[in-house]
Amino acid sequence: MRVLSNLGIATKILLVIGILAMLTLSIVGGASLQLTKLSNTTSELIGDEAESVKLASAASEKLAKLHQVWLERLIETDTEKLTGLRGEIDAERNGLGQLLGELKPFMEGDDVATFATIERELSDYHRMMAPIEGLMTAGNVRGAEQIGQDAGGDLYAKIDVEFDTLISRQDKDLDAGAIAAKESAANTIWWLIAASIGGLAIVAAFAVIGIRRTVTGPLGEVVERMGSLARGQNNIEVQGTDRGDEIGKIAKAVLVFRDAAVEKQKIEAAQRLADEEQKRVVDSLENGLGQLAQGDLTAQITAEFSPSYQTVKTNFNEALTSLRGLISTVSESAAGIRTGSGEIAQASEDLARRTEANAASLEETSAAVTQMDGRLKATALAASRTVASADGAVTTVSEGRAITDQAVQAMGRVADGAKGIDSVIEGLDKIAFQTRVLAMNAAVEAGRAGEAGRGFAVVADLVSALAMRSEEEAARAREQLTATQTDIVSAVDMVQRVDGALANISGNVAEVHTLLGQMASDNQAQSTAITEISIAIGTMDQSTQQNAAMVEQTSAAARNLSSEVLTMAEQAAKFNVGNGAPKSFRPASPAQSTAAQTGYRSPVKPLPASISPAGGSDDWASF
């Protein structure tokens, strides 16, 4: 305790704070360890489970994609697309195997059996789907469809159900881990609360006991001694002066107060003797001050004082002499000040009117510039929209040219097909001619045969007639094909003309687009310039309003000054300075008196609250 008595109160408080800080650090350290352990456990649990769920879901999606590609293989006949589908099947199968390899280390408990079932069924699925390629190549589409859609589809559905079961079980494990982490966090929080309450209670108890014994108890004793000293008990005994803290300093001060009180009793006895002589001096001063209060500055003290108060008499008389000179000077200066303040007030009124006119003009200019700015912005916006529309037109023309190119190519293919048809017709014509020749030969041979070849001759005539009809139909088909080829050539020429027209339109639209872009840029630049001008005019308007407010306050201050000078001169005229009768100061004119009483009312509109000067010296300095 002796050591604590020599420590300062601030040091004692810092000691208590240090103990609290150490306790707090201990609690925070323990909580940090618990929270770190909880965080690591939760991260490992949730991280593994989340990664497992992610891999299982990805594997299920990969299996669905693989099955979908197999089904596309059943209906695809294009050779190039078949090559791509075979590569995609291999890629999806390899990707599925890689995902299962990454997923396998995460399997635990019941998941191991489910995963083994998935691997076995997936192997059966690959083995079952493998013959599809050979069946499709051999043209056995039905057999391939039975494997891919029936047996393969059933096995795929079964594997998908196994994946769903695995993912569901892993989700449950993830939820259980989250619940365990939540319970562990709750236990950690309760442990932290209990440790904090217990530690703070122990430190608070020690702090209260220590402060009561080392601070509040001795301080109460010192306060009691000070109360006794205040009640006039100067024979008290002061304890604690040997302490090294603030209480010791207070005890020493109380000891000094006690000694001063004893000395004061001695002084009061001598003071009573001097009070009597002081009363005489006070009576003389009271008489002189009474006359001074009535305005008589010639009432000097003539009574004789003792040497100790002779200075008071001399100073009073000299003060009256100086005051007489001051009042005379004030009376003479008041007239000059009043004249000058009237001139200042009149000049301020003229300046306020001119400032009002400038402010009104600036306000109208600002409104006009604001309207110009709005219209220019609207014009710039319309130009931007027009540019966007021109971009759309260019895009549409480009698409039209692409379509016309496709039409020309399609007509070229039709023309090539017509040439092939012409070759076919020519072949048919030759076949009909050869058939007719053979029919003629057959008729000749039938004539040689006589009666036995009469039936064969009839058949030969019919074949010859049929060959002639075939030649006629081939000729008609050739004529129709020739007309079609002529129409195709005309159509190709027209489409090429349309393509040229679209090219010209695209060029014209591009030129219009460029001009509109320049107009939009110019309008935007003009809008920016007008906005800057509007801001500058707004700033000038605010400055003008501030000037008007300053002039208004200056005018009011000048009129108030004139009124105050008048009052001061009237008060100064009441004093008798020994140079004749008191002067009467001429009052101001009725108009000026009215203005001084009612105050100047400026015609300028008041400033907004954000820029109006508040009246303080700091605001005027910033203005």
PDB file of all heavy atoms in Angstrom, residues 290-317:
ATOM      1  N   GLY A 290     -21.167  61.554  -7.243  1.00  0.00           N
ATOM      2  CA  GLY A 290     -22.570  61.947  -7.383  1.00  0.00           C
ATOM      3  C   GLY A 290     -22.709  63.148  -8.296  1.00  0.00           C
ATOM      4  O   GLY A 290     -23.599  63.206  -9.159  1.00  0.00           O
ATOM      5  N   GLN A 291     -21.863  64.177  -8.078  1.00  0.00           N
ATOM      6  CA  GLN A 291     -21.904  65.341  -8.964  1.00  0.00           C
ATOM      7  C   GLN A 291     -21.522  64.953 -10.405  1.00  0.00           C
ATOM      8  O   GLN A 291     -22.065  65.489 -11.372  1.00  0.00           O
ATOM      9  CB  GLN A 291     -20.958  66.416  -8.424  1.00  0.00           C
ATOM     10  CG  GLN A 291     -21.398  66.983  -7.076  1.00  0.00           C
ATOM     11  CD  GLN A 291     -20.422  68.031  -6.546  1.00  0.00           C
ATOM     12  OE1 GLN A 291     -19.451  68.379  -7.211  1.00  0.00           O
ATOM     13  NE2 GLN A 291     -20.684  68.543  -5.352  1.00  0.00           N
ATOM     14  N   LEU A 292     -20.564  64.015 -10.496  1.00  0.00           N
ATOM     15  CA  LEU A 292     -20.162  63.558 -11.839  1.00  0.00           C
ATOM     16  C   LEU A 292     -21.327  62.848 -12.536  1.00  0.00           C
ATOM     17  O   LEU A 292     -21.528  63.002 -13.749  1.00  0.00           O
ATOM     18  CB  LEU A 292     -18.959  62.620 -11.718  1.00  0.00           C
ATOM     19  CG  LEU A 292     -18.424  62.030 -13.034  1.00  0.00           C
ATOM     20  CD1 LEU A 292     -17.950  63.142 -13.970  1.00  0.00           C
ATOM     21  CD2 LEU A 292     -17.271  61.057 -12.745  1.00  0.00           C
ATOM     22  N   ALA A 293     -22.121  62.084 -11.774  1.00  0.00           N
ATOM     23  CA  ALA A 293     -23.269  61.397 -12.357  1.00  0.00           C
ATOM     24  C   ALA A 293     -24.314  62.369 -12.861  1.00  0.00           C
ATOM     25  O   ALA A 293     -25.061  62.060 -13.798  1.00  0.00           O
ATOM     26  CB  ALA A 293     -23.887  60.453 -11.318  1.00  0.00           C
ATOM     27  N   GLN A 294     -24.391  63.559 -12.257  1.00  0.00           N
ATOM     28  CA  GLN A 294     -25.345  64.573 -12.704  1.00  0.00           C
ATOM     29  C   GLN A 294     -24.829  65.373 -13.897  1.00  0.00           C
ATOM     30  O   GLN A 294     -25.510  66.280 -14.365  1.00  0.00           O
ATOM     31  CB  GLN A 294     -25.662  65.518 -11.555  1.00  0.00           C
ATOM     32  CG  GLN A 294     -26.392  64.825 -10.399  1.00  0.00           C
ATOM     33  CD  GLN A 294     -26.614  65.751  -9.216  1.00  0.00           C
ATOM     34  OE1 GLN A 294     -26.220  66.932  -9.256  1.00  0.00           O
ATOM     35  NE2 GLN A 294     -27.235  65.228  -8.150  1.00  0.00           N
ATOM     36  N   GLY A 295     -23.612  65.049 -14.380  1.00  0.00           N
ATOM     37  CA  GLY A 295     -23.072  65.710 -15.562  1.00  0.00           C
ATOM     38  C   GLY A 295     -22.146  66.865 -15.251  1.00  0.00           C
ATOM     39  O   GLY A 295     -21.728  67.565 -16.180  1.00  0.00           O
ATOM     40  N   ASP A 296     -21.805  67.088 -13.980  1.00  0.00           N
ATOM     41  CA  ASP A 296     -20.915  68.180 -13.602  1.00  0.00           C
ATOM     42  C   ASP A 296     -19.497  67.660 -13.587  1.00  0.00           C
ATOM     43  O   ASP A 296     -19.095  66.902 -12.691  1.00  0.00           O
ATOM     44  CB  ASP A 296     -21.309  68.709 -12.220  1.00  0.00           C
ATOM     45  CG  ASP A 296     -20.528  69.981 -11.851  1.00  0.00           C
ATOM     46  OD1 ASP A 296     -19.743  70.459 -12.724  1.00  0.00           O
ATOM     47  OD2 ASP A 296     -20.694  70.463 -10.730  1.00  0.00           O
ATOM     48  N   LEU A 297     -18.711  68.043 -14.605  1.00  0.00           N
ATOM     49  CA  LEU A 297     -17.324  67.617 -14.699  1.00  0.00           C
ATOM     50  C   LEU A 297     -16.363  68.602 -14.033  1.00  0.00           C
ATOM     51  O   LEU A 297     -15.140  68.463 -14.193  1.00  0.00           O
ATOM     52  CB  LEU A 297     -16.940  67.427 -16.178  1.00  0.00           C
ATOM     53  CG  LEU A 297     -17.750  66.390 -16.956  1.00  0.00           C
ATOM     54  CD1 LEU A 297     -17.248  66.314 -18.385  1.00  0.00           C
ATOM     55  CD2 LEU A 297     -17.655  65.035 -16.289  1.00  0.00           C
ATOM     56  N   THR A 298     -16.887  69.574 -13.262  1.00  0.00           N
ATOM     57  CA  THR A 298     -16.033  70.574 -12.565  1.00  0.00           C
ATOM     58  C   THR A 298     -15.973  70.300 -11.075  1.00  0.00           C
ATOM     59  O   THR A 298     -15.314  71.063 -10.348  1.00  0.00           O
ATOM     60  CB  THR A 298     -16.586  71.975 -12.817  1.00  0.00           C
ATOM     61  OG1 THR A 298     -17.922  72.057 -12.289  1.00  0.00           O
ATOM     62  CG2 THR A 298     -16.615  72.285 -14.304  1.00  0.00           C
ATOM     63  N   ALA A 299     -16.647  69.219 -10.604  1.00  0.00           N
ATOM     64  CA  ALA A 299     -16.713  68.951  -9.149  1.00  0.00           C
ATOM     65  C   ALA A 299     -15.487  68.172  -8.731  1.00  0.00           C
ATOM     66  O   ALA A 299     -15.498  66.944  -8.676  1.00  0.00           O
ATOM     67  CB  ALA A 299     -17.993  68.188  -8.813  1.00  0.00           C
ATOM     68  N   GLN A 300     -14.380  68.863  -8.383  1.00  0.00           N
ATOM     69  CA  GLN A 300     -13.166  68.230  -7.927  1.00  0.00           C
ATOM     70  C   GLN A 300     -13.178  68.064  -6.402  1.00  0.00           C
ATOM     71  O   GLN A 300     -13.920  68.740  -5.683  1.00  0.00           O
ATOM     72  CB  GLN A 300     -11.937  69.049  -8.351  1.00  0.00           C
ATOM     73  CG  GLN A 300     -11.770  69.120  -9.866  1.00  0.00           C
ATOM     74  CD  GLN A 300     -10.493  69.834 -10.253  1.00  0.00           C
ATOM     75  OE1 GLN A 300      -9.846  70.473  -9.401  1.00  0.00           O
ATOM     76  NE2 GLN A 300     -10.125  69.745 -11.521  1.00  0.00           N
ATOM     77  N   ILE A 301     -12.329  67.136  -5.893  1.00  0.00           N
ATOM     78  CA  ILE A 301     -12.233  66.883  -4.446  1.00  0.00           C
ATOM     79  C   ILE A 301     -11.273  67.910  -3.840  1.00  0.00           C
ATOM     80  O   ILE A 301     -10.123  68.053  -4.281  1.00  0.00           O
ATOM     81  CB  ILE A 301     -11.741  65.451  -4.187  1.00  0.00           C
ATOM     82  CG1 ILE A 301     -12.745  64.432  -4.740  1.00  0.00           C
ATOM     83  CG2 ILE A 301     -11.525  65.216  -2.682  1.00  0.00           C
ATOM     84  CD1 ILE A 301     -12.288  62.990  -4.612  1.00  0.00           C
ATOM     85  N   THR A 302     -11.778  68.585  -2.787  1.00  0.00           N
ATOM     86  CA  THR A 302     -10.944  69.625  -2.106  1.00  0.00           C
ATOM     87  C   THR A 302     -10.604  69.230  -0.679  1.00  0.00           C
ATOM     88  O   THR A 302      -9.783  69.904  -0.035  1.00  0.00           O
ATOM     89  CB  THR A 302     -11.705  70.952  -2.098  1.00  0.00           C
ATOM     90  OG1 THR A 302     -12.967  70.762  -1.440  1.00  0.00           O
ATOM     91  CG2 THR A 302     -11.941  71.440  -3.529  1.00  0.00           C
ATOM     92  N   ALA A 303     -11.202  68.146  -0.142  1.00  0.00           N
ATOM     93  CA  ALA A 303     -10.923  67.723   1.237  1.00  0.00           C
ATOM     94  C   ALA A 303      -9.511  67.185   1.344  1.00  0.00           C
ATOM     95  O   ALA A 303      -8.933  66.706   0.367  1.00  0.00           O
ATOM     96  CB  ALA A 303     -11.935  66.662   1.668  1.00  0.00           C
ATOM     97  N   GLU A 304      -8.950  67.264   2.613  1.00  0.00           N
ATOM     98  CA  GLU A 304      -7.600  66.793   2.840  1.00  0.00           C
ATOM     99  C   GLU A 304      -7.618  65.302   3.205  1.00  0.00           C
ATOM    100  O   GLU A 304      -8.395  64.861   4.046  1.00  0.00           O
ATOM    101  CB  GLU A 304      -6.956  67.600   3.980  1.00  0.00           C
ATOM    102  CG  GLU A 304      -6.718  69.052   3.653  1.00  0.00           C
ATOM    103  CD  GLU A 304      -5.703  69.231   2.537  1.00  0.00           C
ATOM    104  OE1 GLU A 304      -4.834  68.345   2.377  1.00  0.00           O
ATOM    105  OE2 GLU A 304      -5.792  70.229   1.793  1.00  0.00           O
ATOM    106  N   PHE A 305      -6.778  64.484   2.508  1.00  0.00           N
ATOM    107  CA  PHE A 305      -6.641  63.065   2.781  1.00  0.00           C
ATOM    108  C   PHE A 305      -5.312  62.791   3.458  1.00  0.00           C
ATOM    109  O   PHE A 305      -4.389  63.623   3.417  1.00  0.00           O
ATOM    110  CB  PHE A 305      -6.730  62.243   1.481  1.00  0.00           C
ATOM    111  CG  PHE A 305      -8.103  62.213   0.857  1.00  0.00           C
ATOM    112  CD1 PHE A 305      -8.274  61.697  -0.424  1.00  0.00           C
ATOM    113  CD2 PHE A 305      -9.206  62.690   1.550  1.00  0.00           C
ATOM    114  CE1 PHE A 305      -9.528  61.643  -0.990  1.00  0.00           C
ATOM    115  CE2 PHE A 305     -10.458  62.648   0.963  1.00  0.00           C
ATOM    116  CZ  PHE A 305     -10.623  62.133  -0.307  1.00  0.00           C
ATOM    117  N   SER A 306      -5.235  61.609   4.078  1.00  0.00           N
ATOM    118  CA  SER A 306      -3.968  61.190   4.664  1.00  0.00           C
ATOM    119  C   SER A 306      -2.987  60.887   3.529  1.00  0.00           C
ATOM    120  O   SER A 306      -3.388  60.700   2.372  1.00  0.00           O
ATOM    121  CB  SER A 306      -4.196  59.947   5.530  1.00  0.00           C
ATOM    122  OG  SER A 306      -4.679  58.888   4.729  1.00  0.00           O
ATOM    123  N   PRO A 307      -1.687  60.850   3.826  1.00  0.00           N
ATOM    124  CA  PRO A 307      -0.703  60.623   2.766  1.00  0.00           C
ATOM    125  C   PRO A 307      -0.965  59.321   1.981  1.00  0.00           C
ATOM    126  O   PRO A 307      -0.689  59.252   0.783  1.00  0.00           O
ATOM    127  CB  PRO A 307       0.619  60.570   3.519  1.00  0.00           C
ATOM    128  CG  PRO A 307       0.393  61.389   4.743  1.00  0.00           C
ATOM    129  CD  PRO A 307      -1.033  61.150   5.149  1.00  0.00           C
ATOM    130  N   SER A 308      -1.521  58.291   2.640  1.00  0.00           N
ATOM    131  CA  SER A 308      -1.728  57.036   1.926  1.00  0.00           C
ATOM    132  C   SER A 308      -2.844  57.130   0.889  1.00  0.00           C
ATOM    133  O   SER A 308      -2.898  56.328  -0.058  1.00  0.00           O
ATOM    134  CB  SER A 308      -2.050  55.916   2.936  1.00  0.00           C
ATOM    135  OG  SER A 308      -3.207  56.250   3.684  1.00  0.00           O
ATOM    136  N   TYR A 309      -3.770  58.101   1.045  1.00  0.00           N
ATOM    137  CA  TYR A 309      -4.891  58.255   0.091  1.00  0.00           C
ATOM    138  C   TYR A 309      -4.762  59.525  -0.742  1.00  0.00           C
ATOM    139  O   TYR A 309      -5.684  59.880  -1.459  1.00  0.00           O
ATOM    140  CB  TYR A 309      -6.225  58.294   0.841  1.00  0.00           C
ATOM    141  CG  TYR A 309      -6.607  56.951   1.440  1.00  0.00           C
ATOM    142  CD1 TYR A 309      -6.383  56.699   2.783  1.00  0.00           C
ATOM    143  CD2 TYR A 309      -7.157  55.978   0.657  1.00  0.00           C
ATOM    144  CE1 TYR A 309      -6.720  55.470   3.329  1.00  0.00           C
ATOM    145  CE2 TYR A 309      -7.506  54.744   1.202  1.00  0.00           C
ATOM    146  CZ  TYR A 309      -7.279  54.497   2.542  1.00  0.00           C
ATOM    147  OH  TYR A 309      -7.607  53.283   3.066  1.00  0.00           O
ATOM    148  N   GLN A 310      -3.617  60.225  -0.613  1.00  0.00           N
ATOM    149  CA  GLN A 310      -3.422  61.453  -1.363  1.00  0.00           C
ATOM    150  C   GLN A 310      -3.397  61.161  -2.867  1.00  0.00           C
ATOM    151  O   GLN A 310      -3.858  61.962  -3.687  1.00  0.00           O
ATOM    152  CB  GLN A 310      -2.116  62.137  -0.937  1.00  0.00           C
ATOM    153  CG  GLN A 310      -1.899  63.522  -1.530  1.00  0.00           C
ATOM    154  CD  GLN A 310      -2.953  64.527  -1.080  1.00  0.00           C
ATOM    155  OE1 GLN A 310      -3.430  64.472   0.070  1.00  0.00           O
ATOM    156  NE2 GLN A 310      -3.339  65.449  -1.940  1.00  0.00           N
ATOM    157  N   THR A 311      -2.880  60.002  -3.227  1.00  0.00           N
ATOM    158  CA  THR A 311      -2.812  59.624  -4.644  1.00  0.00           C
ATOM    159  C   THR A 311      -4.211  59.485  -5.226  1.00  0.00           C
ATOM    160  O   THR A 311      -4.465  59.833  -6.394  1.00  0.00           O
ATOM    161  CB  THR A 311      -2.049  58.311  -4.801  1.00  0.00           C
ATOM    162  OG1 THR A 311      -0.758  58.440  -4.193  1.00  0.00           O
ATOM    163  CG2 THR A 311      -1.868  57.948  -6.266  1.00  0.00           C
ATOM    164  N   VAL A 312      -5.193  58.962  -4.436  1.00  0.00           N
ATOM    165  CA  VAL A 312      -6.565  58.802  -4.912  1.00  0.00           C
ATOM    166  C   VAL A 312      -7.156  60.157  -5.258  1.00  0.00           C
ATOM    167  O   VAL A 312      -7.820  60.330  -6.293  1.00  0.00           O
ATOM    168  CB  VAL A 312      -7.412  58.098  -3.838  1.00  0.00           C
ATOM    169  CG1 VAL A 312      -8.865  58.018  -4.276  1.00  0.00           C
ATOM    170  CG2 VAL A 312      -6.867  56.698  -3.568  1.00  0.00           C
ATOM    171  N   LYS A 313      -6.944  61.146  -4.385  1.00  0.00           N
ATOM    172  CA  LYS A 313      -7.458  62.493  -4.638  1.00  0.00           C
ATOM    173  C   LYS A 313      -6.872  63.063  -5.925  1.00  0.00           C
ATOM    174  O   LYS A 313      -7.592  63.613  -6.777  1.00  0.00           O
ATOM    175  CB  LYS A 313      -7.131  63.388  -3.434  1.00  0.00           C
ATOM    176  CG  LYS A 313      -7.494  64.844  -3.635  1.00  0.00           C
ATOM    177  CD  LYS A 313      -7.056  65.671  -2.430  1.00  0.00           C
ATOM    178  CE  LYS A 313      -7.329  67.158  -2.670  1.00  0.00           C
ATOM    179  NZ  LYS A 313      -6.900  67.988  -1.501  1.00  0.00           N
ATOM    180  N   THR A 314      -5.535  62.943  -6.025  1.00  0.00           N
ATOM    181  CA  THR A 314      -4.865  63.507  -7.207  1.00  0.00           C
ATOM    182  C   THR A 314      -5.375  62.835  -8.496  1.00  0.00           C
ATOM    183  O   THR A 314      -5.683  63.501  -9.491  1.00  0.00           O
ATOM    184  CB  THR A 314      -3.347  63.330  -7.072  1.00  0.00           C
ATOM    185  OG1 THR A 314      -2.894  63.959  -5.871  1.00  0.00           O
ATOM    186  CG2 THR A 314      -2.633  63.933  -8.269  1.00  0.00           C
ATOM    187  N   ASN A 315      -5.489  61.488  -8.481  1.00  0.00           N
ATOM    188  CA  ASN A 315      -5.933  60.770  -9.680  1.00  0.00           C
ATOM    189  C   ASN A 315      -7.369  61.119 -10.044  1.00  0.00           C
ATOM    190  O   ASN A 315      -7.715  61.240 -11.232  1.00  0.00           O
ATOM    191  CB  ASN A 315      -5.813  59.259  -9.460  1.00  0.00           C
ATOM    192  CG  ASN A 315      -4.352  58.808  -9.366  1.00  0.00           C
ATOM    193  OD1 ASN A 315      -3.456  59.498  -9.867  1.00  0.00           O
ATOM    194  ND2 ASN A 315      -4.112  57.673  -8.711  1.00  0.00           N
ATOM    195  N   PHE A 316      -8.244  61.307  -9.027  1.00  0.00           N
ATOM    196  CA  PHE A 316      -9.638  61.647  -9.316  1.00  0.00           C
ATOM    197  C   PHE A 316      -9.734  63.013  -9.991  1.00  0.00           C
ATOM    198  O   PHE A 316     -10.468  63.179 -10.992  1.00  0.00           O
ATOM    199  CB  PHE A 316     -10.448  61.632  -8.010  1.00  0.00           C
ATOM    200  CG  PHE A 316     -11.891  61.939  -8.191  1.00  0.00           C
ATOM    201  CD1 PHE A 316     -12.782  60.964  -8.606  1.00  0.00           C
ATOM    202  CD2 PHE A 316     -12.371  63.236  -7.989  1.00  0.00           C
ATOM    203  CE1 PHE A 316     -14.129  61.267  -8.789  1.00  0.00           C
ATOM    204  CE2 PHE A 316     -13.716  63.536  -8.177  1.00  0.00           C
ATOM    205  CZ  PHE A 316     -14.587  62.544  -8.583  1.00  0.00           C
ATOM    206  N   ASN A 317      -9.023  63.978  -9.449  1.00  0.00           N
ATOM    207  CA  ASN A 317      -9.073  65.316 -10.039  1.00  0.00           C
ATOM    208  C   ASN A 317      -8.501  65.326 -11.448  1.00  0.00           C
ATOM    209  O   ASN A 317      -9.043  65.979 -12.354  1.00  0.00           O
ATOM    210  CB  ASN A 317      -8.323  66.306  -9.135  1.00  0.00           C
ATOM    211  CG  ASN A 317      -9.023  66.520  -7.801  1.00  0.00           C
ATOM    212  OD1 ASN A 317     -10.246  66.355  -7.698  1.00  0.00           O
ATOM    213  ND2 ASN A 317      -8.270  66.889  -6.769  1.00  0.00           N
TER     214      ASN A 317
END
